[in-house]
Amino acid sequence: MSPNVRQPRRILLRSGKSPYDVFTVEEALHQDVIATNAGNLIFQDAAHKILEVPGTEVVSNGGRTEVAAAARINAEYDAFVVPLANAFRPSFETALKRLTRLITRLRIPVVVLGVGAQTGVSYDPARLKSIEPTVREFCAAVLERSASIGVRGEFTEQYLRDMGFRDVEVIGCPSLFLYGSELDVRKRVPGLTAESRIAVNGSHSAVKKQGLGRIITRAHDRYPNLRFIGQNLSDARQLHWRDLSDPNAAVTAIPTHPDHPMYREDKVRVYVDPVTWIDELRPFDFSFGSRIHGNIAALLAGTPATVLCGDSRTLELCRYFEIPHQRLDKVVKDPEAADPARLYEQADLGGLVGNHRERFERFVGFLDRNGLQNTFTHGDGGAAFEKKMDSLSFPPGVRPWNDTDLASLSSRFGWLHTRVSELTEDNTQLRRELARARKVKDGVPAPTASVYRRARRVVGRPLRRALQSGKQ
C-alpha cells in the first residue's frame, strides 16, 4: 500500500492509557492500565508524544482490542498506530489473532511500531514455528494498510524476511526517542562504591530460572543503597496489598515478595506512570538487570545502564541501540562479572549516545513513509506535551506495605469498601469478608500479621473475581 499522503487528524493509539490520565494506585492496579507490565507504558507514552503534532489528536484505545468496534474506528479515526513489544511469542498468540481480526476490518492505515519476536539468545526460531501462520496473517493484514512494518531488531527482521516479507524496517523501540534526537547519558562518577545509588530490575523468570536472584542477593549484600524496581502487575499488588494470589508469588527470591529482605527494608518500587519512574531514576548512579524497559527508563533519566540479556527480545534491541549489555547466562557463572561496579566500569556509552541521532532519523523516515508526522520535525518538539505533563500530579511509586499505622489500613480498606459497594448484590460472601476485615482493623491498635493475612484474602482472587463480574 502506498503511504498515506494526508496527515491523520485523529490517531487511535494502542496503549493502556493516555499519558495525561492520572489514576490512583488502587485504580491503576484494578484496571491494569499497565497491561500486566509497566514497561509497556514507556514506549506507548513515547509514541503518543511523538505523534502529537498541531492539528492531530492522539487517542488511547485503553489497551482494548474490540473487533466489533471496527466500523466506529473507521468512521472516527484516520489511522491506527500499534506500538508493540515481543508480540511474536506463543503466549501472545490469542491476543495477536484478535488484533489481526480487528485490523482486517479496518479501512484506515495501520502502522506497527517496533514489534519483536521472542526466543532465546541464540536466535533459534524453532520455538516460534507453531505460531508462524498467525504471524503471517498479522503481517499480511498490516502490510495491506501500511508501507512497511517497523521491527525491534535484527532477529525479528530476519524472522519475517524468512517468511517472505520484504517491507520490513528495523526501527528499534519508540521509547528511546522520547526526547527525539537527543539522548544525554553519561557516567557522573568515576566508579561505583558501597555508597552508590544503584537500581536493579528483573523478571520472575530470570530470578527463578536464569540465576538473576543470586546476582540480586549479592548486590544487596554489597550495596546498601540498592533498589529493586519491579514491573509486573503482580509485583505492584504484592507491594500495595501484600496480595500473594498470583502464581508469581511462588518466586520468593524476587524483592517484591513480602518475605524478601529488600521488601522489609523498603528498597522496592513499582511505577504506574513512566514520568515518575524516569524522574526517580535521575539521581541514581547506575541501573542493571534483565528488564529492557527498566533500563531504558534509566537511560532516559540520563543514568548509565547495563542490560543482562536473557532472550532475543532484549538482545536484539540492545544490539540495535548499542545499549551496554551482557548475556545473563554468561555473567551468572562468574559472580564478579555481574557485580555492579564491574558492569559500570565496562559499560561503553559511546555508540548509544553517538549514533542516536542517526537511529532517530531512520525512525522518522519510517514514520514519513507511513504518512505519519512527528512532533520533533513537524511540531514543537514535545514542549506542549511536557508542559501538560508538568501540570499533572501523578502518584509516587508503589512501595512495600510495611506500615504499622491505622491510617495506612484505613485508606486501603476505604477503597475496598467503595469498590465493594458498586458490586452486584449477589457478592454477599465478599461483603462478609470485608466486614470481618474492618472489625479486625478497628479492634486493634496496630495491624498484625493476622490483619495482613486477612487483607490478602480480601484483596486476592475472590475480590478480583467479584470486581470483574460486578458493575464496573
mmCIF file of all heavy atoms in Angstrom, residues 313-347:
data_model
loop_
_atom_site.group_PDB
_atom_site.id
_atom_site.type_symbol
_atom_site.label_atom_id
_atom_site.label_comp_id
_atom_site.label_asym_id
_atom_site.label_seq_id
_atom_site.Cartn_x
_atom_site.Cartn_y
_atom_site.Cartn_z
ATOM 1 N N ARG A 313 14.572 -10.826 22.596
ATOM 2 C CA ARG A 313 13.898 -9.525 22.553
ATOM 3 C C ARG A 313 14.742 -8.440 23.195
ATOM 4 O O ARG A 313 14.742 -7.294 22.731
ATOM 5 C CB ARG A 313 12.531 -9.613 23.236
ATOM 6 C CG ARG A 313 12.599 -9.897 24.715
ATOM 7 C CD ARG A 313 11.238 -10.243 25.302
ATOM 8 N NE ARG A 313 11.376 -10.659 26.683
ATOM 9 C CZ ARG A 313 10.895 -9.969 27.714
ATOM 10 N NH1 ARG A 313 10.254 -8.840 27.513
ATOM 11 N NH2 ARG A 313 11.057 -10.400 28.936
ATOM 12 N N THR A 314 15.471 -8.781 24.262
ATOM 13 C CA THR A 314 16.350 -7.795 24.877
ATOM 14 C C THR A 314 17.665 -7.682 24.110
ATOM 15 O O THR A 314 18.191 -6.587 23.930
ATOM 16 C CB THR A 314 16.628 -8.170 26.346
ATOM 17 O OG1 THR A 314 17.109 -9.514 26.415
ATOM 18 C CG2 THR A 314 15.369 -8.049 27.172
ATOM 19 N N LEU A 315 18.162 -8.810 23.636
ATOM 20 C CA LEU A 315 19.463 -8.803 22.966
ATOM 21 C C LEU A 315 19.420 -8.010 21.661
ATOM 22 O O LEU A 315 20.302 -7.192 21.391
ATOM 23 C CB LEU A 315 19.922 -10.242 22.701
ATOM 24 C CG LEU A 315 21.307 -10.410 22.074
ATOM 25 C CD1 LEU A 315 22.379 -9.761 22.940
ATOM 26 C CD2 LEU A 315 21.620 -11.900 21.859
ATOM 27 N N GLU A 316 18.393 -8.232 20.824
ATOM 28 C CA GLU A 316 18.369 -7.533 19.539
ATOM 29 C C GLU A 316 18.165 -6.034 19.720
ATOM 30 O O GLU A 316 18.705 -5.233 18.961
ATOM 31 C CB GLU A 316 17.311 -8.118 18.604
ATOM 32 C CG GLU A 316 15.861 -7.883 18.991
ATOM 33 C CD GLU A 316 14.889 -8.334 17.903
ATOM 34 O OE1 GLU A 316 15.329 -8.661 16.783
ATOM 35 O OE2 GLU A 316 13.674 -8.358 18.188
ATOM 36 N N LEU A 317 17.417 -5.642 20.734
ATOM 37 C CA LEU A 317 17.208 -4.222 20.974
ATOM 38 C C LEU A 317 18.483 -3.566 21.509
ATOM 39 O O LEU A 317 18.819 -2.438 21.128
ATOM 40 C CB LEU A 317 16.053 -4.023 21.962
ATOM 41 C CG LEU A 317 15.284 -2.709 21.869
ATOM 42 C CD1 LEU A 317 14.778 -2.442 20.461
ATOM 43 C CD2 LEU A 317 14.111 -2.718 22.858
ATOM 44 N N CYS A 318 19.207 -4.258 22.369
ATOM 45 C CA CYS A 318 20.480 -3.735 22.869
ATOM 46 C C CYS A 318 21.498 -3.592 21.739
ATOM 47 O O CYS A 318 22.235 -2.598 21.676
ATOM 48 C CB CYS A 318 21.041 -4.651 23.955
ATOM 49 S SG CYS A 318 20.184 -4.535 25.534
ATOM 50 N N ARG A 319 21.525 -4.568 20.856
ATOM 51 C CA ARG A 319 22.470 -4.503 19.741
ATOM 52 C C ARG A 319 22.128 -3.346 18.803
ATOM 53 O O ARG A 319 23.024 -2.644 18.326
ATOM 54 C CB ARG A 319 22.469 -5.823 18.969
ATOM 55 C CG ARG A 319 23.212 -6.936 19.692
ATOM 56 C CD ARG A 319 23.113 -8.258 18.935
ATOM 57 N NE ARG A 319 24.008 -9.267 19.500
ATOM 58 C CZ ARG A 319 24.019 -10.549 19.150
ATOM 59 N NH1 ARG A 319 23.178 -10.987 18.228
ATOM 60 N NH2 ARG A 319 24.853 -11.391 19.708
ATOM 61 N N TYR A 320 20.845 -3.148 18.555
ATOM 62 C CA TYR A 320 20.458 -2.068 17.638
ATOM 63 C C TYR A 320 20.778 -0.699 18.220
ATOM 64 O O TYR A 320 21.356 0.164 17.547
ATOM 65 C CB TYR A 320 18.967 -2.166 17.306
ATOM 66 C CG TYR A 320 18.514 -1.051 16.380
ATOM 67 C CD1 TYR A 320 18.948 -1.007 15.057
ATOM 68 C CD2 TYR A 320 17.688 -0.032 16.834
ATOM 69 C CE1 TYR A 320 18.562 0.024 14.210
ATOM 70 C CE2 TYR A 320 17.292 1.004 15.991
ATOM 71 C CZ TYR A 320 17.730 1.030 14.686
ATOM 72 O OH TYR A 320 17.357 2.052 13.846
ATOM 73 N N PHE A 321 20.429 -0.495 19.468
ATOM 74 C CA PHE A 321 20.640 0.814 20.095
ATOM 75 C C PHE A 321 22.033 0.961 20.698
ATOM 76 O O PHE A 321 22.373 2.031 21.200
ATOM 77 C CB PHE A 321 19.595 1.066 21.179
ATOM 78 C CG PHE A 321 18.263 1.543 20.654
ATOM 79 C CD1 PHE A 321 17.143 0.739 20.744
ATOM 80 C CD2 PHE A 321 18.144 2.799 20.069
ATOM 81 C CE1 PHE A 321 15.913 1.181 20.265
ATOM 82 C CE2 PHE A 321 16.928 3.254 19.594
ATOM 83 C CZ PHE A 321 15.804 2.447 19.689
ATOM 84 N N GLU A 322 22.822 -0.109 20.662
ATOM 85 C CA GLU A 322 24.167 -0.117 21.260
ATOM 86 C C GLU A 322 24.113 0.192 22.752
ATOM 87 O O GLU A 322 24.954 0.907 23.301
ATOM 88 C CB GLU A 322 25.100 0.854 20.519
ATOM 89 C CG GLU A 322 25.298 0.483 19.056
ATOM 90 C CD GLU A 322 26.204 1.442 18.306
ATOM 91 O OE1 GLU A 322 27.446 1.269 18.399
ATOM 92 O OE2 GLU A 322 25.683 2.368 17.649
ATOM 93 N N ILE A 323 23.115 -0.381 23.405
ATOM 94 C CA ILE A 323 22.993 -0.274 24.855
ATOM 95 C C ILE A 323 23.995 -1.239 25.492
ATOM 96 O O ILE A 323 24.093 -2.399 25.069
ATOM 97 C CB ILE A 323 21.565 -0.646 25.309
ATOM 98 C CG1 ILE A 323 20.539 0.322 24.703
ATOM 99 C CG2 ILE A 323 21.448 -0.637 26.829
ATOM 100 C CD1 ILE A 323 19.099 -0.106 24.932
ATOM 101 N N PRO A 324 24.750 -0.802 26.489
ATOM 102 C CA PRO A 324 25.660 -1.740 27.160
ATOM 103 C C PRO A 324 24.905 -2.976 27.646
ATOM 104 O O PRO A 324 23.832 -2.861 28.262
ATOM 105 C CB PRO A 324 26.191 -0.920 28.344
ATOM 106 C CG PRO A 324 26.122 0.505 27.864
ATOM 107 C CD PRO A 324 24.862 0.567 27.033
ATOM 108 N N HIS A 325 25.453 -4.152 27.355
ATOM 109 C CA HIS A 325 24.747 -5.365 27.739
ATOM 110 C C HIS A 325 25.720 -6.525 27.904
ATOM 111 O O HIS A 325 26.835 -6.508 27.389
ATOM 112 C CB HIS A 325 23.686 -5.733 26.692
ATOM 113 C CG HIS A 325 24.248 -6.027 25.327
ATOM 114 N ND1 HIS A 325 24.600 -5.048 24.437
ATOM 115 C CD2 HIS A 325 24.516 -7.222 24.708
ATOM 116 C CE1 HIS A 325 25.060 -5.600 23.324
ATOM 117 N NE2 HIS A 325 25.033 -6.919 23.471
ATOM 118 N N GLN A 326 25.267 -7.518 28.655
ATOM 119 C CA GLN A 326 25.973 -8.777 28.839
ATOM 120 C C GLN A 326 24.944 -9.899 28.723
ATOM 121 O O GLN A 326 23.761 -9.690 29.012
ATOM 122 C CB GLN A 326 26.631 -8.845 30.222
ATOM 123 C CG GLN A 326 27.582 -7.709 30.538
ATOM 124 C CD GLN A 326 28.976 -7.957 29.995
ATOM 125 O OE1 GLN A 326 29.250 -9.026 29.462
ATOM 126 N NE2 GLN A 326 29.854 -6.983 30.144
ATOM 127 N N ARG A 327 25.385 -11.073 28.331
ATOM 128 C CA ARG A 327 24.474 -12.216 28.319
ATOM 129 C C ARG A 327 24.340 -12.750 29.740
ATOM 130 O O ARG A 327 25.336 -13.060 30.397
ATOM 131 C CB ARG A 327 24.966 -13.289 27.364
ATOM 132 C CG ARG A 327 24.590 -13.009 25.930
ATOM 133 C CD ARG A 327 25.023 -14.076 24.965
ATOM 134 N NE ARG A 327 24.684 -15.444 25.366
ATOM 135 C CZ ARG A 327 24.723 -16.487 24.533
ATOM 136 N NH1 ARG A 327 25.076 -16.302 23.266
ATOM 137 N NH2 ARG A 327 24.430 -17.696 24.971
ATOM 138 N N LEU A 328 23.106 -12.868 30.177
ATOM 139 C CA LEU A 328 22.853 -13.307 31.550
ATOM 140 C C LEU A 328 23.400 -14.702 31.804
ATOM 141 O O LEU A 328 23.946 -14.973 32.884
ATOM 142 C CB LEU A 328 21.340 -13.259 31.830
ATOM 143 C CG LEU A 328 20.872 -13.705 33.213
ATOM 144 C CD1 LEU A 328 21.572 -12.907 34.306
ATOM 145 C CD2 LEU A 328 19.365 -13.556 33.324
ATOM 146 N N ASP A 329 23.287 -15.577 30.817
ATOM 147 C CA ASP A 329 23.752 -16.951 31.025
ATOM 148 C C ASP A 329 25.264 -17.031 31.211
ATOM 149 O O ASP A 329 25.772 -18.024 31.749
ATOM 150 C CB ASP A 329 23.302 -17.859 29.876
ATOM 151 C CG ASP A 329 23.836 -17.418 28.522
ATOM 152 O OD1 ASP A 329 24.336 -16.275 28.406
ATOM 153 O OD2 ASP A 329 23.751 -18.203 27.558
ATOM 154 N N LYS A 330 25.974 -15.987 30.802
ATOM 155 C CA LYS A 330 27.429 -15.984 30.965
ATOM 156 C C LYS A 330 27.859 -15.328 32.279
ATOM 157 O O LYS A 330 28.702 -15.875 32.993
ATOM 158 C CB LYS A 330 28.085 -15.288 29.774
ATOM 159 C CG LYS A 330 27.924 -16.053 28.460
ATOM 160 C CD LYS A 330 28.683 -15.388 27.317
ATOM 161 C CE LYS A 330 28.576 -16.220 26.041
ATOM 162 N NZ LYS A 330 29.309 -15.599 24.903
ATOM 163 N N VAL A 331 27.276 -14.170 32.603
ATOM 164 C CA VAL A 331 27.716 -13.480 33.819
ATOM 165 C C VAL A 331 27.262 -14.198 35.082
ATOM 166 O O VAL A 331 27.903 -14.074 36.134
ATOM 167 C CB VAL A 331 27.225 -12.016 33.847
ATOM 168 C CG1 VAL A 331 27.800 -11.228 32.691
ATOM 169 C CG2 VAL A 331 25.702 -11.938 33.856
ATOM 170 N N VAL A 332 26.185 -14.975 34.988
ATOM 171 C CA VAL A 332 25.703 -15.657 36.186
ATOM 172 C C VAL A 332 26.692 -16.717 36.648
ATOM 173 O O VAL A 332 26.687 -17.125 37.826
ATOM 174 C CB VAL A 332 24.306 -16.275 35.925
ATOM 175 C CG1 VAL A 332 24.417 -17.518 35.060
ATOM 176 C CG2 VAL A 332 23.585 -16.568 37.226
ATOM 177 N N LYS A 333 27.569 -17.165 35.754
ATOM 178 C CA LYS A 333 28.563 -18.177 36.102
ATOM 179 C C LYS A 333 29.740 -17.585 36.870
ATOM 180 O O LYS A 333 30.508 -18.318 37.500
ATOM 181 C CB LYS A 333 29.078 -18.860 34.833
ATOM 182 C CG LYS A 333 27.999 -19.605 34.058
ATOM 183 C CD LYS A 333 28.550 -20.155 32.754
ATOM 184 C CE LYS A 333 27.475 -20.867 31.941
ATOM 185 N NZ LYS A 333 27.990 -21.351 30.632
ATOM 186 N N ASP A 334 29.890 -16.267 36.807
ATOM 187 C CA ASP A 334 31.015 -15.599 37.462
ATOM 188 C C ASP A 334 30.470 -14.461 38.317
ATOM 189 O O ASP A 334 30.112 -13.407 37.795
ATOM 190 C CB ASP A 334 31.986 -15.052 36.409
ATOM 191 C CG ASP A 334 33.181 -14.335 37.027
ATOM 192 O OD1 ASP A 334 33.281 -14.296 38.270
ATOM 193 O OD2 ASP A 334 33.993 -13.789 36.266
ATOM 194 N N PRO A 335 30.388 -14.638 39.628
ATOM 195 C CA PRO A 335 29.807 -13.619 40.497
ATOM 196 C C PRO A 335 30.429 -12.239 40.326
ATOM 197 O O PRO A 335 29.721 -11.225 40.346
ATOM 198 C CB PRO A 335 30.062 -14.170 41.900
ATOM 199 C CG PRO A 335 30.144 -15.650 41.708
ATOM 200 C CD PRO A 335 30.797 -15.831 40.377
ATOM 201 N N GLU A 336 31.736 -12.175 40.134
ATOM 202 C CA GLU A 336 32.392 -10.880 39.989
ATOM 203 C C GLU A 336 31.993 -10.182 38.692
ATOM 204 O O GLU A 336 31.913 -8.964 38.626
ATOM 205 C CB GLU A 336 33.920 -11.050 40.046
ATOM 206 C CG GLU A 336 34.447 -11.330 41.438
ATOM 207 C CD GLU A 336 34.158 -10.199 42.420
ATOM 208 O OE1 GLU A 336 34.172 -9.023 42.003
ATOM 209 O OE2 GLU A 336 33.910 -10.500 43.596
ATOM 210 N N ALA A 337 31.742 -10.970 37.646
ATOM 211 C CA ALA A 337 31.379 -10.383 36.354
ATOM 212 C C ALA A 337 30.050 -9.655 36.427
ATOM 213 O O ALA A 337 29.806 -8.715 35.662
ATOM 214 C CB ALA A 337 31.316 -11.466 35.282
ATOM 215 N N ALA A 338 29.178 -10.069 37.339
ATOM 216 C CA ALA A 338 27.866 -9.446 37.468
ATOM 217 C C ALA A 338 27.817 -8.398 38.564
ATOM 218 O O ALA A 338 26.748 -7.842 38.848
ATOM 219 C CB ALA A 338 26.814 -10.520 37.749
ATOM 220 N N ASP A 339 28.939 -8.095 39.170
ATOM 221 C CA ASP A 339 28.955 -7.054 40.200
ATOM 222 C C ASP A 339 28.690 -5.699 39.555
ATOM 223 O O ASP A 339 29.270 -5.372 38.507
ATOM 224 C CB ASP A 339 30.308 -7.029 40.905
ATOM 225 C CG ASP A 339 30.323 -6.064 42.069
ATOM 226 O OD1 ASP A 339 29.931 -6.477 43.170
ATOM 227 O OD2 ASP A 339 30.677 -4.881 41.863
ATOM 228 N N PRO A 340 27.819 -4.865 40.124
ATOM 229 C CA PRO A 340 27.512 -3.565 39.515
ATOM 230 C C PRO A 340 28.736 -2.707 39.219
ATOM 231 O O PRO A 340 28.792 -2.038 38.185
ATOM 232 C CB PRO A 340 26.600 -2.900 40.556
ATOM 233 C CG PRO A 340 25.952 -4.040 41.265
ATOM 234 C CD PRO A 340 26.993 -5.125 41.306
ATOM 235 N N ALA A 341 29.726 -2.727 40.096
ATOM 236 C CA ALA A 341 30.927 -1.921 39.858
ATOM 237 C C ALA A 341 31.650 -2.368 38.604
ATOM 238 O O ALA A 341 32.132 -1.542 37.815
ATOM 239 C CB ALA A 341 31.863 -2.003 41.074
ATOM 240 N N ARG A 342 31.721 -3.688 38.383
ATOM 241 C CA ARG A 342 32.368 -4.214 37.183
ATOM 242 C C ARG A 342 31.543 -3.866 35.939
ATOM 243 O O ARG A 342 32.095 -3.452 34.910
ATOM 244 C CB ARG A 342 32.517 -5.737 37.296
ATOM 245 C CG ARG A 342 33.039 -6.434 36.026
ATOM 246 C CD ARG A 342 34.535 -6.303 35.883
ATOM 247 N NE ARG A 342 35.201 -7.051 36.908
ATOM 248 C CZ ARG A 342 35.497 -8.357 36.840
ATOM 249 N NH1 ARG A 342 35.148 -9.047 35.754
ATOM 250 N NH2 ARG A 342 36.136 -8.963 37.803
ATOM 251 N N LEU A 343 30.247 -4.038 36.029
ATOM 252 C CA LEU A 343 29.378 -3.718 34.889
ATOM 253 C C LEU A 343 29.464 -2.232 34.541
ATOM 254 O O LEU A 343 29.492 -1.864 33.366
ATOM 255 C CB LEU A 343 27.932 -4.098 35.210
ATOM 256 C CG LEU A 343 27.642 -5.591 35.407
ATOM 257 C CD1 LEU A 343 26.205 -5.791 35.864
ATOM 258 C CD2 LEU A 343 27.899 -6.365 34.117
ATOM 259 N N TYR A 344 29.506 -1.395 35.550
ATOM 260 C CA TYR A 344 29.601 0.053 35.332
ATOM 261 C C TYR A 344 30.916 0.405 34.641
ATOM 262 O O TYR A 344 30.956 1.194 33.692
ATOM 263 C CB TYR A 344 29.499 0.770 36.675
ATOM 264 C CG TYR A 344 29.557 2.285 36.600
ATOM 265 C CD1 TYR A 344 28.409 3.030 36.374
ATOM 266 C CD2 TYR A 344 30.759 2.973 36.786
ATOM 267 C CE1 TYR A 344 28.445 4.422 36.320
ATOM 268 C CE2 TYR A 344 30.819 4.356 36.740
ATOM 269 C CZ TYR A 344 29.654 5.076 36.501
ATOM 270 O OH TYR A 344 29.705 6.452 36.450
ATOM 271 N N GLU A 345 31.990 -0.187 35.120
ATOM 272 C CA GLU A 345 33.312 0.079 34.542
ATOM 273 C C GLU A 345 33.362 -0.333 33.070
ATOM 274 O O GLU A 345 33.943 0.361 32.230
ATOM 275 C CB GLU A 345 34.373 -0.689 35.334
ATOM 276 C CG GLU A 345 35.793 -0.519 34.798
ATOM 277 C CD GLU A 345 36.786 -1.402 35.534
ATOM 278 O OE1 GLU A 345 36.367 -2.224 36.379
ATOM 279 O OE2 GLU A 345 37.993 -1.271 35.251
ATOM 280 N N GLN A 346 32.718 -1.444 32.724
ATOM 281 C CA GLN A 346 32.780 -1.959 31.365
ATOM 282 C C GLN A 346 31.766 -1.310 30.423
ATOM 283 O O GLN A 346 31.882 -1.457 29.204
ATOM 284 C CB GLN A 346 32.530 -3.466 31.383
ATOM 285 C CG GLN A 346 33.624 -4.264 32.085
ATOM 286 C CD GLN A 346 33.312 -5.745 32.158
ATOM 287 O OE1 GLN A 346 32.152 -6.150 32.008
ATOM 288 N NE2 GLN A 346 34.324 -6.563 32.395
ATOM 289 N N ALA A 347 30.802 -0.611 30.965
ATOM 290 C CA ALA A 347 29.742 -0.031 30.139
ATOM 291 C C ALA A 347 30.287 1.062 29.223
ATOM 292 O O ALA A 347 30.788 2.085 29.685
ATOM 293 C CB ALA A 347 28.636 0.534 31.025
#
